[in-house]
Amino acid sequence: MVNKTDFIASLAKGLSVIEAFRAEHPRLAIAEVAERTGLDRATARRCLLTLHELGYADYDGKFFTLTPRVLRLGMGTLAALPLAQLVQPWLDQLSEQIGQSTSVAILDETEIVYLARAAQRRVMSIGLLPGSRLPAHCTSLGRVLLAALPETEARARVERADLSPRTPFSLTAPDEIMTRIAEARSRGHALIDQEVELGLRSIAVPILGSSGRVVAALNTGVAAVQNAATDLEALYLPALLKVQDGLRRVLH
């Protein structure tokens, strides 16, 4: 626990304002930032104007948007993570082999954070890069990572998440989502059928560290041109499992 005299409340408020911006709502007004952060409007305004003055946000007189400068706060750290450096050549090789984009992500509360990615073709409307975030409960990477948690903890994270549907196929009931997480736990992989974005399917497997603990997840996302999502198991699961095994030996 940090001593209260060592805690900088203004820094914490500024970081919460930065975290209020997401891919699905990149442009926010002062009132929206205040609502998302729990700050009063005056504090939200001062934080936003400070970010604007420092070049971390653009302002058109009504809406604020983050600028690429904000990537300085995290991209260097992500790139320096040993795991990100280690998995990148494996992703590059796998992506070339199967002809699809591949990714590795970790779990951060109710979201996944992309650590590394090898893109073959763009199948999502949102461009994904290291540092990009998506909800854990409706992604194959997220369900694999949630499956590695004790069931009570996984449920708590699902119930804290924003379960608003992203597509007509999105699951929004915690019990249904927990059933899919349990399936991922028993099968050792997770399948997603157009829950994140229409026309997108994905399959993910866990990445195991030296102690056998799940440290990240690996997936491929493809256009939904198969007869069924389960076709991904025959098409891509063997290649994913081969990389999973290779990474297990390297991490050991």
Side-chain angles (χ1 to χ4, degrees):
M1 181 68 69
V2 176
N3 189 300
K4 289 185 178 180
T5 60
D6 294 326
F7 186 81
I8 304 175
S10 57
L11 175 59
K13 293 173 183 177
L15 292 173
S16 70
V17 167
I18 292 174
E19 291 179 349
F21 292 86
R22 290 287 188 268
E24 58 270 25
H25 42 76
R27 300 171 68 248
L28 295 174
I30 293 172
E32 293 172 318
V33 170
E35 180 181 357
R36 293 180 185 278
T37 60
L39 301 173
D40 59 71
R41 287 173 59 102
T43 301
R45 178 178 177 275
R46 288 197 300 272
C47 288
L48 288 165
L49 290 176
T50 300
L51 291 172
H52 175 57
E53 179 66 23
L54 295 175
Y56 289 106
D58 283 332
Y59 182 43
D60 63 7
K62 181 176 181 181
F63 293 102
F64 289 84
T65 56
L66 296 181
T67 68
R69 185 183 179 92
V70 79
L71 295 176
R72 296 184 185 183
L73 301 177
M75 291 295 287
T77 302
L78 281 173
L81 288 176
L83 183 59
Q85 295 176 328
L86 188 150
V87 302
Q88 190 61 57
W90 291 83
L91 286 184
D92 293 338
Q93 184 182 64
L94 175 61
S95 188
E96 286 293 330
Q97 176 189 345
I98 65 176
Q100 302 289 351
S101 297
T102 56
S103 305
V104 165
I106 57 174
L107 187 64
D108 182 18
E109 292 297 329
T110 62
E111 298 178 314
I112 57 168
V113 182
Y114 285 81
L115 283 187
R117 183 164 168 80
Q120 280 285 322
R121 63 195 71 177
R122 186 162 174 174
V123 293
M124 290 189 71
S125 62
I126 300 173
L128 295 175
L129 296 169
S132 295
R133 291 172 174 265
L134 285 175
H137 70 277
C138 61
T139 56
S140 60
L141 290 162
R143 286 189 184 164
V144 161
L145 293 167
L146 288 168
L149 299 177
E151 185 173 355
T152 53
E153 184 176 347
R155 178 176 286 276
R157 296 200 189 198
V158 169
E159 292 181 345
R160 287 202 306 270
D162 179 359
L163 302 183
S164 302
R166 299 173 67 98
T167 78
F169 298 96
S170 298
L171 300 182
T172 57
D175 286 345
E176 290 182 324
I177 295 169
M178 290 302 300
T179 295
R180 298 297 177 86
I181 291 171
E183 291 173 356
R185 185 180 299 114
S186 63
R187 294 176 180 175
H189 66 273
L191 281 171
I192 292 291
D193 188 4
Q194 304 183 80
E195 290 190 50
V196 178
E197 186 166 308
L198 289 175
L200 174 70
R201 288 172 173 158
S202 65
I203 182 170
V205 298
I207 295 175
L208 306 177
S210 58
S211 63
R213 182 176 60 88
V214 174
V215 296
L218 161 72
N219 91 334
T220 184
V222 304
V225 296
Q226 309 81 13
N227 291 328
T230 51
D231 290 347
L232 271 61
E233 293 172 323
L235 290 169
Y236 304 113
L237 185 56
L240 290 172
L241 291 175
K242 185 175 180 180
V243 173
Q244 179 196 60
D245 184 61
L247 287 172
R248 180 191 294 116
R249 287 185 279 105
V250 170
L251 290 171
H252 280 191

